[in-house]
Amino acid sequence: MTSKSTMREVASKAGVSIATVSRVINSPDEVPTETVERVRAAMRYLNYRPNINGRRLKMAQTRSVGVLVPTMANPVFATSVQGIEQAAHEDGLTVLLTSSNYDPQRELGAVSTLLNNRVDGLILTLANADDNPVIDLLKAENIPFVLLFNQPARKDVASISVDNARSAYDMTQAMIAQGHRSLAMVAGRFESSDRSKQRFEGFGKALSDAGLGAARLCQVGFGETELFTPLKSFLTGPDAVTGLVCSTDMLAIAAMSACREHGLSVPGDVSVGGIDGIAVGGLISPKLCSAVQPTQEMGQQALAFLRGLIRGQTNPQSLILPHQLSTGESIGPARHPSSPRL
Amino acid sequence: MTSKSTMREVASKAGVSIATVSRVINSPDEVPTETVERVRAAMRYLNYRPNINGRRLKMAQTRSVGVLVPTMANPVFATSVQGIEQAAHEDGLTVLLTSSNYDPQRELGAVSTLLNNRVDGLILTLANADDNPVIDLLKAENIPFVLLFNQPARKDVASISVDNARSAYDMTQAMIAQGHRSLAMVAGRFESSDRSKQRFEGFGKALSDAGLGAARLCQVGFGETELFTPLKSFLTGPDAVTGLVCSTDMLAIAAMSACREHGLSVPGDVSVGGIDGIAVGGLISPKLCSAVQPTQEMGQQALAFLRGLIRGQTNPQSLILPHQLSTGESIGPARHPSSPRL
DNA sequence: CTGAAAGCGCTAACAC
DNA sequence: GTGTTAGCGCTTTCAG
């Protein structure tokens, strides 16, 4: 027996009008207790289930939010979605989930679908937050949205992130402080992640501030965990590095694995640092040293921001959270420190 | 300028009726190319965006599916959701996401919300698939659904899972084959996960089949990663075990961490095995030995099943996938093998 | 305190 | 080919 019963049926069963049923649902205090009870009894009897789509059509708001992340396969995003979902649940909001698979092409389509659903607002992690048609669209249509993890240059969009360049800078500096002079960054493709780009810039700045040469980069596809080959030229031969700064923790864990495959120990032969602070990083051996961000809380916070925007708050807030360098064991003194340049 | 334009406006702009606009959207071939173009131009001009909720109200189907998982914070579920999302995207379906946080109490509420949204069907990972009010509800209302990871006793519900007992059995047997005689299982609370329970049963059976004593259990809360204290009595003292079979990979990784904190090496002092096959398990050192299931594919498959049910297929399929014991390094010969019982 | 009535945006007969 | 029309289930004035 499919739940087909409508408000009309409940009304007739309870001997009232549909308006009263609606009131019982939405503002029970405007209806005498006795009537409320009668209507509720009818609802129970008929197994009534309000059709939210009816309400959505009528009302200005749908009480739903759209979420777009690159992929759930990376714990960073999954954890943030958990935070969003939790906060949404507390707020009685429905979450529509989409993922772009790191493909900027798919972002617009996904957001478009979300907008067709008339979501009240969006939380997005975009490939590139600057110069992105999605943002133009959202701005043009005046749809509330907040960026998560993206750290856009423009200040008229709400966003929650860490200071990406800075987190890479700090991580790099920590390695330099341990005597490392020959470093490389392992990063995802910049087209797929502006965080990657910003982090690489921080890496480069830390190097140049320390008077160390050009920034070396090992760029890999996202979701890639097989780093043996990509890292070969960085880990072996005359130009071998002693430290790897990775743009994400997943990459860092994969890099540690690749080091081992090359017969190198971490941090004995090469130090590895990550950025993100995924939970598993703290459980492995050696414990991953990472620039930690409170991923789940950021998701919750993003929803709180979004709620504000939906409620009409006009000036979008940008929150740059402090990251925290975790005390990891994956970083140690450089094995063959070249003589200091100064 | 909010996207307010409706079909009616498009129609008048294009000089046709709303029926024609609807046709252009849903079956363009029934409309002369020239008219299609004119209407499309009007849509572009007005920045028209179909309101899916209008359609939903009218049509029997909403082209949306509901998903309920315990949490996105565990990569097993996150990865499966990624699979679901991907398949849904290919099918043009919208995903409504909820999570129960392992709380059976919250399951019913979440599903209820999903049903109020009139989703066409559901994919669920429940705390307990047998004797669950959610299933009764869904059955009573005749809503298509498929269970993911749950392995229910009843055969009238669709499900996709591995053989949970068997996967634990095999893992345990692998340890026994390495000479382990003193084992314990680390598992989440049974009320929160029937998989845990089934896996513990498989563990117990393997022990008794090998003539080894009672099954020892270290039960912990889900999401718990601090296992130093819970495992203390299992790792130290006269009753110390030489192997830990863990009901999930996350638990296994946490257990490995706890072993180290106790000054024990894995697998030198104690062997650790997991179940699930999360990606990170293959990247850490020692590589986690796990009973691997193809998580993401299972998500996709679940959506394929669901689609079948939605299309009217009446007999729910249950798929028990083969698990695969990964060649992990986290399991080795028992340190102090007690003399064989035979 | 309660009901009648007018839609929200869309689809689908059913006419023309 | 195309338009008219009657709702889908709900909320919400506006009267009574």
Side-chain angles (χ1 to χ4, degrees), chain A residues 171-183 241-244 265-273 286 289 328-338:
Chain A
M171 175 61 70
T172 310
Q173 212 171 42
M175 291 216 195
I176 293 172
Q178 293 267 27
H180 294 273
R181 293 294 175 270
S182 176
L183 298 169
V241 302
T242 64
L244 251 20
S265 86
V266 178
D269 295 314
V270 22
S271 290
V272 176
C289 182
E329 307 150 347
S330 61
I331 289 184
R335 189 183 33 159
H336 301 306
S338 45

Side-chain angles (χ1 to χ4, degrees), chain A residues 1 3 49 52 56-57 72 78 82 85 95-97 99 112 116-118 140-141 257 260 283 285, chain B residues 1 3 49 52 56-57 71-72 78 82 85 95-97 99 112 116-118 140-141 257 260 283 285:
Chain A
M1 186 260 271
S3 99
R49 189 177 285 296
I52 286 194
R56 291 215 171 108
L57 199 51
M72 300 296 250
Q82 177 60 24
E85 208 288 317
V95 171
L96 308 201
L97 177 73
S99 67
S112 198
N116 290 355
N117 275 278
R118 295 299 191 271
E141 304 216 0
S257 174
R260 276 179 233 113
L283 297 174
S285 172
Chain B
M1 184 260 274
S3 97
R49 190 177 285 294
I52 285 195
R56 291 213 171 109
L57 199 52
T71 178
M72 299 297 253
Q82 177 61 24
E85 208 288 316
V95 171
L96 308 201
L97 178 73
S99 68
S112 199
N116 290 354
N117 275 277
R118 294 300 189 271
E141 305 217 359
S257 175
R260 276 178 233 112
L283 297 174
S285 171

